[in-house]
Amino acid sequence: MNTSLSTKQLQWRYATKKFDSEQKISEQKLDIIKESFNLTATSYGLQPIKLIVVSNKDIQEALVAQSWNQRQVADASHLLIFCIEKKLSAEYIKTYFERVKDIRNTPDEIIKPFQKFLIEDFEAKTTEDIQTWSTNQAYLAMGNLLTICALEEIDACPMEGFKPEEYDKILGLDKQNLKSVLVMPIGYRAKDDMFASFKKVRRPMEETIIEIKK
């Protein structure tokens, strides 16, 4: 089977367990990660997610205890925290369509019916339903950034094992209508991280891929 550059990089990546705390991600690479987050596909294009990029070591250390003492949180060059908007108001949706109109010059007769539909649709949903939907968008963004990091040879560790409520308190997210849902330390693997040499364990492709042809 032919192996492309991208799949080679996906073979290279792993959930890094130990980071080299002395190595830092350059601003140029960090800009790539930020832009990639902003370019991530989201349902309806509404982008109900925000990315917090932490490089303050005092804050990273404070978050270790709220991450089941996983040292990656403090030792990584940067800590990415994926957040969702706690509420999506009608005004939020209107602002999105104003942006569409401004950038694409889309006429009102096309925009207004879809805008009305989305506002009514989200008003009919519960807060829990909206937050579940928004969290799904955060997973899309994390998956995208995992691939980008691999292509840029930046190590990463996707994490669900943390205490969101405590993160929210430490970072003051309530005041920003935000709720943390995922965490991803990024940086460069330590030379003595034994997990770097482990072979990947995956099901055979014939068990995970179903092809339907003519």
Side-chain angles (χ1 to χ4, degrees), residues 126-150:
T126 66
T127 299
E128 183 180 357
D129 287 340
I130 293 173
Q131 290 189 2
T132 298
W133 171 82
S134 297
T135 299
N136 289 339
Q137 314 312 306
Y139 275 97
L140 283 174
M142 175 179 271
N144 189 36
L145 290 197
L146 279 171
T147 301
I148 294 298
C149 283

Side-chain angles (χ1 to χ4, degrees), residues 57-69:
K57 288 302 171 186
D58 290 336
I59 294 176
Q60 286 178 249
E61 283 288 351
L63 292 171
V64 171
Q66 313 309 327
S67 312
W68 308 110
N69 295 315

Side-chain angles (χ1 to χ4, degrees), residues 42-47 88-94 96-97 100 111-125 130 133:
T42 59
S43 182
Y44 303 122
L46 286 176
Q47 292 181 283
L88 280 185
S89 64
E91 196 59 39
Y92 182 98
I93 295 172
K94 287 178 183 177
Y96 164 71
F97 281 100
V100 172
I111 283 180
K112 292 299 182 182
F114 191 31
Q115 175 180 288
K116 181 175 182 291
F117 161 75
L118 281 186
I119 290 173
E120 291 175 352
D121 185 55
F122 277 91
E123 285 179 342
K125 297 180 188 294
I130 293 173
W133 171 82

Side-chain angles (χ1 to χ4, degrees), residues 2-181:
N2 292 330
T3 303
S4 68
L5 174 62
S6 57
T7 52
K8 283 181 180 177
Q9 289 307 111
L10 292 178
Q11 287 284 354
W12 171 86
R13 72 148 298 277
Y14 72 108
T16 306
K17 304 302 182 187
K18 188 176 182 181
F19 286 91
D20 182 344
S21 60
E22 299 301 316
Q23 287 203 65
K24 303 300 176 188
I25 297 172
S26 69
E27 286 300 319
Q28 181 183 14
K29 295 260 186 183
L30 201 59
D31 286 344
I32 292 171
I33 290 170
K34 292 176 187 175
E35 186 175 5
S36 298
F37 173 83
N38 202 46
L39 289 171
T40 294
T42 59
S43 182
Y44 303 122
L46 286 176
Q47 292 181 283
I49 51 177
K50 286 191 178 180
L51 184 68
I52 296 178
V53 183
V54 181
S55 57
N56 181 304
K57 288 302 171 186
D58 290 336
I59 294 176
Q60 286 178 249
E61 283 288 351
L63 292 171
V64 171
Q66 313 309 327
S67 312
W68 308 110
N69 295 315
Q70 297 178 85
R71 285 300 308 173
Q72 300 101 305
V73 168
D75 293 339
S77 172
H78 293 72
L79 179 65
L80 306 184
I81 304 166
F82 297 78
C83 302
I84 61 170
E85 303 276 351
K86 293 174 77 173
K87 296 178 182 178
L88 280 185
S89 64
E91 196 59 39
Y92 182 98
I93 295 172
K94 287 178 183 177
T95 299
Y96 164 71
F97 281 100
E98 286 169 6
R99 190 178 303 117
V100 172
K101 184 177 180 180
D102 181 56
I103 293 173
R104 296 179 176 172
N105 296 314
T106 307
D108 283 341
E109 56 265 30
I110 293 176
I111 283 180
K112 292 299 182 182
F114 191 31
Q115 175 180 288
K116 181 175 182 291
F117 161 75
L118 281 186
I119 290 173
E120 291 175 352
D121 185 55
F122 277 91
E123 285 179 342
K125 297 180 188 294
T126 66
T127 299
E128 183 180 357
D129 287 340
I130 293 173
Q131 290 189 2
T132 298
W133 171 82
S134 297
T135 299
N136 289 339
Q137 314 312 306
Y139 275 97
L140 283 174
M142 175 179 271
N144 189 36
L145 290 197
L146 279 171
T147 301
I148 294 298
C149 283
L151 292 172
E152 294 295 326
E153 294 198 347
I154 295 169
D155 288 299
C157 183
M159 291 170 51
E160 295 176 305
F162 73 106
K163 301 174 184 176
E165 298 83 3
E166 298 303 321
Y167 265 62
D168 296 353
K169 287 178 186 176
I170 291 171
L171 298 168
L173 298 186
D174 285 338
K175 298 175 184 176
Q176 302 178 61
N177 188 43
L178 296 175
K179 178 179 180 180
S180 59
V181 292

